[in-house]
């Protein structure tokens, strides 16, 4: 489902929104561009993905299920990040299932 957000025209905003889905780079738009709700929307979703990735790495220390949890998480994070990148390239604000619920709380 696409959300209607105020978006400033230009490549700069699109690039910053794209950073949101590139691991720790999500912190750049999150810290410096809170005034643009389009960028901030994507940055919050990217932050949730990044935290999930960090938790997946720590999950490797769990015996038996750690490796499985990490593998599944990497695949899901990659797919959802790709969906986020496509959303940014199309200029949309898609609420990613599950992630948007957590991102809205940030």
């Amino acid at each position: 489902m696409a959300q209607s957000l105020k978006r400033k025209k230009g490549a700069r905003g699109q690039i910053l929104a794209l950073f949101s889905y590139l691991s720790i780079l999500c912190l750049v738009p999150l810290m410096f561009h809170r005034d643009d709700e389009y960028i901030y929307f994507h940055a919050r979703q990217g932050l949730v993905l990044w935290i999930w990735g960090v938790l997946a790495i720590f999950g490797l220390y769990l015996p038996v299920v750690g490796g499985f949890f990490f593998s599944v998480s990497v695949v899901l994070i990659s797919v959802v990040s790709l969906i986020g990148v496509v959303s940014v390239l199309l200029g949309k604000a898609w609420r990613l299932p599950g992630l948007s619920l957590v991102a809205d709380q940030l």
Side-chain angles (χ1 to χ4, degrees):
M1 170 169 55
Q3 188 173 348
S4 177
L5 297 174
K6 293 179 189 173
R7 180 173 172 234
K8 296 178 183 175
K9 296 293 181 186
R12 181 175 180 254
Q14 192 170 18
I15 290 171
L16 287 169
L18 192 65
F19 278 178
S20 301
Y21 297 103
L22 302 177
S23 187
I24 198 166
L25 290 177
C26 71
L27 296 177
V28 173
L30 189 64
M31 291 191 313
F32 298 115
H33 296 283
R34 290 184 150 214
D35 57 329
D36 188 338
E37 66 180 15
Y38 177 77
I39 294 172
Y40 191 61
F41 171 83
H42 288 290
R44 286 187 317 213
Q45 290 192 145
L47 179 65
V48 172
L49 282 173
W50 180 65
I51 291 171
W52 181 10
V54 170
L55 292 175
I57 291 170
F58 284 123
L60 283 171
Y61 291 105
L62 296 172
V64 182
V65 297
F68 176 74
F69 174 70
F70 177 77
S71 300
V72 170
S73 292
V74 167
V75 169
L76 290 175
I77 290 169
S78 299
V79 169
V80 173
S81 291
L82 184 62
I83 292 169
V85 167
V86 169
S87 169
V88 169
L89 292 175
L90 294 176
K92 304 290 183 186
W94 291 337
R95 297 176 55 82
L96 301 173
L99 289 178
S100 61
L101 297 174
V102 177
D104 289 342
Q105 300 299 318
L106 298 176

